[in-house]
Amino acid sequence: MRRQGIYALSVIFLAFFLVGCGAGMTAADHQRELPTTQDMQLTLGVFQSRVKVGMSQGDVIAAVGSPNIVTKDAEDVETLIWDKVASESAYSRSSSSVSGGLGVAAFPLPVAVGGAVGGSSSKSSGASASTQRTLTVVVKFEKNKVKSMTYNTSKF
């Protein structure tokens, strides 16, 4: 009977230990689990693949969306500017703790014998990451057709 009780307590202690020692997720793991808007992102690659010299202004807007800025110079050259800033942040915190105890007592003897083993351990860590990207694309039109496209991009 005593063996079964000690065995059951050992199994319970082992289960708590294994649950407490599970590896936490890192900031990169959390970032990978964030929903992606890749199909909706406006990137330089999107512009380069969808906007071509000779396209109409309406076709450009249909392909990449509305610009942030529209200007017209003295020579009647219309310029559309897409100026985008993207920020991505991820933070991860993981902690684990283990505690447990095991007690034994024997009463059939003339003297009571007892003992206990116990302990605890805890660990906590965290990480964060953030990135900013900018994209500015300038498309010049002549007679409602794309004349040229210039761009600037950065990541920090």
Side-chain angles (χ1 to χ4, degrees):
M1 180 77 168
R2 236 181 300 161
R3 262 191 169 165
Q4 289 175 341
I6 291 172
Y7 176 74
L9 285 174
S10 298
V11 169
I12 291 170
F13 179 75
L14 182 61
F16 279 117
F17 179 76
L18 292 175
V19 168
C21 289
M25 291 178 63
T26 66
D29 294 335
H30 283 285
Q31 191 170 17
R32 281 190 290 273
E33 288 192 357
L34 290 174
T36 180
T37 56
Q38 182 101 11
D39 296 333
M40 302 295 285
Q41 287 180 342
L42 196 55
T43 64
L44 181 57
V46 168
F47 271 95
Q48 290 175 330
S49 66
R50 295 182 185 172
V51 178
K52 305 293 180 199
V53 172
M55 285 178 72
S56 73
Q57 189 174 0
D59 288 341
V60 171
I61 292 172
V64 294
S66 298
N68 300 76
I69 302 167
V70 178
T71 64
K72 190 179 256 189
D73 65 14
E75 284 122 28
D76 209 29
V77 174
E78 193 165 27
T79 303
L80 304 185
I81 301 171
W82 288 260
D83 192 24
K84 304 294 181 181
V85 177
S87 299
E88 296 175 348
S89 297
Y91 178 76
S92 175
R93 182 173 189 274
S94 53
S95 62
S96 62
S97 63
V98 176
S99 63
L102 178 63
V104 179
F107 296 107
L109 300 173
V111 177
V113 176
V117 176
S120 67
S121 171
S122 68
K123 180 176 119 176
S124 180
S125 64
S128 66
S130 63
T131 302
Q132 292 223 334
R133 294 178 293 133
T134 65
L135 173 63
T136 303
V137 178
V138 178
V139 180
K140 293 191 181 254
F141 290 86
E142 189 171 63
K143 297 180 184 173
N144 199 31
K145 301 286 182 190
V146 174
K147 177 182 175 183
S148 66
M149 179 175 69
T150 57
Y151 54 86
N152 183 39
T153 184
S154 67
K155 182 177 180 178
F156 54 97

